[in-house]
Every structure is written in structure tokens, then in C-alpha cells.
Amino acid sequence: MSNNKLAFSKINYIIMLAGVAVLMLGFFIMTQDTEPYGFGTLGLTLGPIVVVLGFVIEFVAILYKGKKEE
């Protein structure tokens, strides 16, 4: 009963870390907006697009199945 199989493989965790890095980058981009209340291009357009891309990467990391080893 000592079958210590993880839920995800190593590549899944690497993709998840990349997704977290993209999410952090998106939130950082939103903080760099100089317009009041974040109504500039960085706060309303570029930052949210990068954040959504980060969530898409996380979704892919959860659903990714590697090649089966025979």
C-alpha cells in the first residue's frame, strides 16, 4: 500500500509554475499604470489579457496528460 503516486507529473508542475509566473507578471503590469485608478492601457487592456493568459496556462497544466510510458 505504499504506492505514492502524485496526482500530476513533473511536466504538469512545471507548466503550473509558468502559469503562476505569467499571472504575477500580469498583476505587476497592472500596477505599473500611471493613469488615475488604473484607467490607462496597461491597467485596462494589457494587464488583464496577460492575467487571463496565465489562467489559461493553469487550465492547460491541469488537463495536460503526458505521453504514456510503456
Side-chain angles (χ1 to χ4, degrees):
M1 275 262 208
S2 65
N3 189 3
N4 293 334
K5 186 146 177 134
L6 295 174
F8 298 115
S9 65
K10 182 179 177 182
I11 189 70
N12 293 89
Y13 289 114
I14 292 171
I15 297 171
M16 282 184 195
L17 286 175
V20 168
V22 172
L23 282 169
M24 291 172 57
L25 177 67
F27 284 116
F28 179 74
I29 289 171
M30 283 192 277
T31 63
Q32 298 304 307
D33 197 3
T34 57
E35 295 293 320
Y37 305 109
F39 286 135
T41 303
L42 293 177
L44 284 178
T45 306
L46 184 62
I49 289 172
V50 174
V51 169
V52 168
L53 180 65
F55 281 117
V56 168
I57 293 172
E58 292 293 327
F59 185 71
V60 168
I62 291 171
L63 294 180
Y64 180 78
K65 287 192 182 237
K67 297 177 183 173
K68 288 200 170 200
E69 297 178 13
E70 294 183 37

